[in-house]
């Protein structure tokens, strides 16, 4: 074994940091065996039944449910046009991108650009980070919707301060007020994606925050990690699979062949859950309700068949990404917008974790076990 440095004990953990506990946290708890997810101690099922995304944001950031007065002030600030609108120069930057740029690339670059326009970008105090978190959470839906309009050759729609974050996003996409069912479905989807303990993107955000870097940098790190198909990018991949299958009658045969071919099945499996992801049932129900409303149940039927076969044959279970896309598609949202929508919600969790990390910080800097050469000689280029 190579000498890894003075007094270094090699203490290898499982690949992918499986089961490694890297910090304490008071934000989110997952019981992977019982299929329970708690935000600040409250079961996400209760939040879906009784809360709103705005209230969940407050809960994650402040650690307790707001009073009526606190909630009203928080909702007002999140809805204010001054916080939701994008600087005209940001819109000008968006117009410069090739139309083929994916929404996730736009979001990654756009959040980074928003930092340059934030009056408190370099201030890492808790108060300033809370204010920046609020502005960024309010701006991200405007950014995502503006790119959708611009790439389709349409002018962006100005935010409507009378609408909730969910309703306003759907409004800014189409220019039409969404139905109550679409608004509530979208709000529930935002609640369900808001936080998930030390998932890859949150860990990335915390690693960045732990260098005493700022909120926007942490969120950009989070977006980069979320983009991959093993994480948030899975919801888009699920829809591409459903589009390939097309007909519910073909679903069983298609998925059995995929299992036989040892294909990685998007929307299934999880590092922590050993049972069905508690978020999946809500999204299944909402996708079903929306499918019924638009008289098109084919996506949901395909997904139900796939879920049945995969669970029975592979003993891996649906995760949050299996049914979310079917709900978004029923609202007419483009497939490559599914992961940016995930980010529009997860920014609440990333911000809570940046605040927690800054509140009790130590640089996150693990080691590797070096397995390379230790006595290689520099060979002059003329001798190689
Ligand atoms: N399809 C096929 N086989 C799977 C899958 C899957 N989706 N998930 C796990 N397995 C199998 C895997 O082949 C392996 O089998 P074996 O031990 O026989 O080699 C075993 O289960 C363990 O898999 P793993 O890849 O070591 O598990 P992991 O904890 O590293 O991966 C995961 C977790 C989420 C990356 C994985 O389940 C996966 O790739 N799922 C598909 C992508 C996906 O839906 N991601 C979203 C995750 S939840 C929301 C989010 O984070 O955004």
């Amino acid at each position: 074994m190579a000498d890894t440095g003075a007094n270094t004990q090699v203490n290898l953990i499982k690949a992918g940091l499986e089961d490694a506990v890297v910090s304490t946290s008071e934000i989110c708890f997952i019981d992977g065996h019982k299929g329970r997810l708690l935000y600040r101690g409250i079961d996400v099922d209760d939040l879906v039944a009784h809360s709103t995304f705005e209230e969940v944001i407050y809960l994650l950031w402040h650690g307790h449910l707001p009073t009526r007065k606190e909630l009203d002030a928080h909702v007002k600030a999140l809805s204010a046009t001054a916080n939701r609108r994008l600087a005209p120069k940001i819109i000008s930057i968006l117009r410069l991108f090739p139309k083929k740029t994916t929404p996730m690339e736009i979001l990654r670059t756009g959040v980074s650009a928003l930092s340059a326009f934030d009056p408190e970008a370099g201030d890492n105090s808790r108060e300033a980070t809370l204010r920046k978190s609020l502005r960024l959470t309010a701006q991200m839906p405007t950014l995502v919707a503006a790119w959708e309009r611009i790439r389709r050759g349409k002018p962006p729609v100005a935010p409507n301060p009378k609408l909730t974050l969910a309703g306003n996003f759907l409004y800014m996409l189409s220019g039409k007020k969404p139905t109550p069912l679409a608004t509530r479905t979208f709000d529930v989807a935002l609640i369900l994606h808001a936080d998930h303990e030390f998932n890859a993107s949150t860990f990335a955000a915390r690693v960045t925050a732990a260098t005493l870097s700022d909120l926007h940098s942490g969120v950009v790190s989070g977006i980069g990690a979320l983009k991959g198909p093993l994480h948030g990018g899975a919801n888009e991949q699920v829809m591409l699979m459903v589009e390939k299958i097309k007909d519910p009658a073909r679903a069983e045969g298609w998925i059995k062949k995929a299992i036989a071919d040892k294909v990685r099945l998007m929307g299934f499996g999880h590092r922590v859950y050993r049972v069905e992801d508690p978020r999946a049932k809500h999204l299944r129900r909402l996708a079903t309700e929306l499918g019924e409303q638009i008289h098109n149940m084919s996506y949901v039927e395909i997904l139900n068949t796939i879920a049945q076969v995969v669970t029975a044959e592979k003993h891996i279970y649906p995760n949050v990404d299996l049914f979310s896309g079917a709900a978004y598609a029923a609202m007419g949202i483009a497939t490559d917008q599914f992961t940016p929508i995930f980010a529009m919600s997860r920014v609440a969790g990333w911000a809570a974790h940046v605040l927690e990390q800054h509140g009790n910080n130590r640089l996150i800097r693990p080691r590797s076990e070096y397995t390379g050469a230790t006595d290689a000689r520099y060979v002059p280029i003329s001798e190689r």
Side-chain angles (χ1 to χ4, degrees):
M1 186 187 302
D3 178 3
T4 52
N7 301 325
T8 301
Q9 285 222 326
V10 176
N11 185 13
L12 264 190
I13 45 181
K14 286 187 241 172
L17 296 181
E18 182 175 351
D19 294 333
V21 175
V22 297
S23 172
T24 59
S25 175
E26 295 182 353
I27 301 170
C28 183
F29 174 69
I30 303 172
D31 183 330
H33 292 279
K34 292 194 182 133
R36 289 187 79 210
L37 169 60
L38 315 179
Y39 296 165
R40 299 284 188 181
I42 302 177
D43 198 306
V44 81
D45 290 348
D46 287 337
L47 294 168
V48 163
H50 305 295
S51 190
T52 60
F53 181 53
E54 281 82 353
E55 187 177 53
V56 165
I57 296 171
Y58 189 99
L59 174 69
L60 290 170
W61 293 353
H62 297 276
H64 59 88
L65 289 170
T67 61
R68 165 56 59 198
K69 202 171 153 211
E70 286 167 336
L71 182 61
D72 288 349
H74 174 71
V75 170
K76 197 171 165 205
L78 271 172
S79 316
T81 302
N83 289 327
R84 281 182 174 168
R85 70 187 280 277
L86 303 178
K89 282 185 181 165
I90 293 276
I91 299 284
S92 307
I93 294 171
L94 293 184
R95 291 192 200 280
L96 296 176
F97 282 99
K99 293 271 172 24
K100 67 166 186 44
T101 312
T102 66
M104 217 37 196
E105 290 172 300
I106 293 290
L107 189 64
R108 193 184 53 204
T109 305
V111 167
S112 195
L114 282 170
S115 155
F117 292 84
D118 195 290
E120 298 177 291
D123 185 344
N124 279 352
S125 66
R126 180 174 166 82
E127 293 65 31
T129 301
L130 273 167
R131 288 191 291 270
K132 286 188 286 186
S133 301
L134 190 131
R135 285 193 284 275
L136 192 53
T137 306
Q139 286 163 334
M140 277 170 60
T142 316
L143 183 65
V144 173
W147 177 243
E148 186 60 31
R149 304 277 303 179
I150 288 170
R151 72 171 171 170
R152 290 176 194 281
K154 295 179 179 168
V157 173
N160 180 341
K162 294 209 173 81
L163 299 177
T164 61
L165 195 143
N168 178 54
F169 173 69
L170 297 173
Y171 165 70
M172 289 188 297
L173 275 184
S174 67
K176 293 184 210 118
K177 284 227 179 109
T179 64
L181 178 62
T183 305
R184 180 60 190 154
T185 299
F186 204 76
D187 192 63
V188 168
L190 295 176
I191 291 173
L192 291 171
H193 289 84
D195 198 43
H196 213 229
E197 205 222 36
F198 271 48
N199 61 89
S201 59
T202 299
F203 187 52
R206 286 192 78 128
V207 169
T208 299
T211 68
L212 295 185
S213 190
D214 58 281
L215 175 86
H216 286 80
S217 301
V219 171
V220 172
S221 300
I223 291 171
L226 187 76
K227 183 170 176 288
L230 295 187
H231 191 7
N235 56 12
E236 181 179 343
Q237 297 301 319
V238 168
M239 192 46 58
L240 297 177
M241 171 177 75
V242 168
E243 279 162 5
K244 256 189 242 161
I245 297 173
K246 272 197 189 90
D247 180 355
R250 278 166 33 93
E252 187 173 345
W254 193 97
I255 198 70
K256 284 189 167 163
K257 182 170 183 315
I259 292 172
D261 292 345
K262 302 206 179 311
V263 170
R264 188 151 286 254
L265 306 162
M266 295 295 152
F268 290 93
H270 200 274
R271 177 61 66 76
V272 183
Y273 293 118
R274 293 291 156 254
V275 293
E276 184 172 287
D277 183 328
R279 301 167 294 179
K281 61 178 180 295
H282 295 292
L283 292 160
R284 180 194 279 119
R285 172 175 52 79
L286 293 166
T288 306
E289 285 172 17
L290 281 167
E292 280 164 357
Q293 196 181 57
I294 61 160
H295 307 293
N296 182 355
M297 293 297 288
S298 71
Y299 289 171
V300 172
E301 283 171 17
I302 289 171
L303 290 171
N304 280 333
T305 303
I306 293 177
Q308 247 171 6
V309 175
V310 173
T311 304
E313 298 205 0
K314 294 270 301 175
H315 305 291
I316 49 174
Y317 301 91
N319 62 44
V320 69
D321 290 318
L322 192 67
F323 286 96
S324 57
Y328 304 147
M331 294 182 221
I333 299 175
T335 302
D336 59 2
Q337 289 287 15
F338 297 174
T339 315
I341 289 169
F342 193 152
M344 274 165 38
S345 162
R346 185 57 57 86
V347 67
W350 292 330
H353 283 269
V354 168
L355 286 160
E356 189 176 62
Q357 186 65 42
H358 280 171
N360 182 21
N361 191 58
R362 189 160 188 233
L363 179 75
I364 300 172
R365 203 296 187 195
R367 296 294 312 265
S368 68
E369 186 195 354
Y370 180 66
T371 55
T374 53
D375 51 5
R377 189 175 68 87
Y378 180 79
V379 182
I381 198 160
S382 57
E383 291 171 27
R384 290 177 218 163

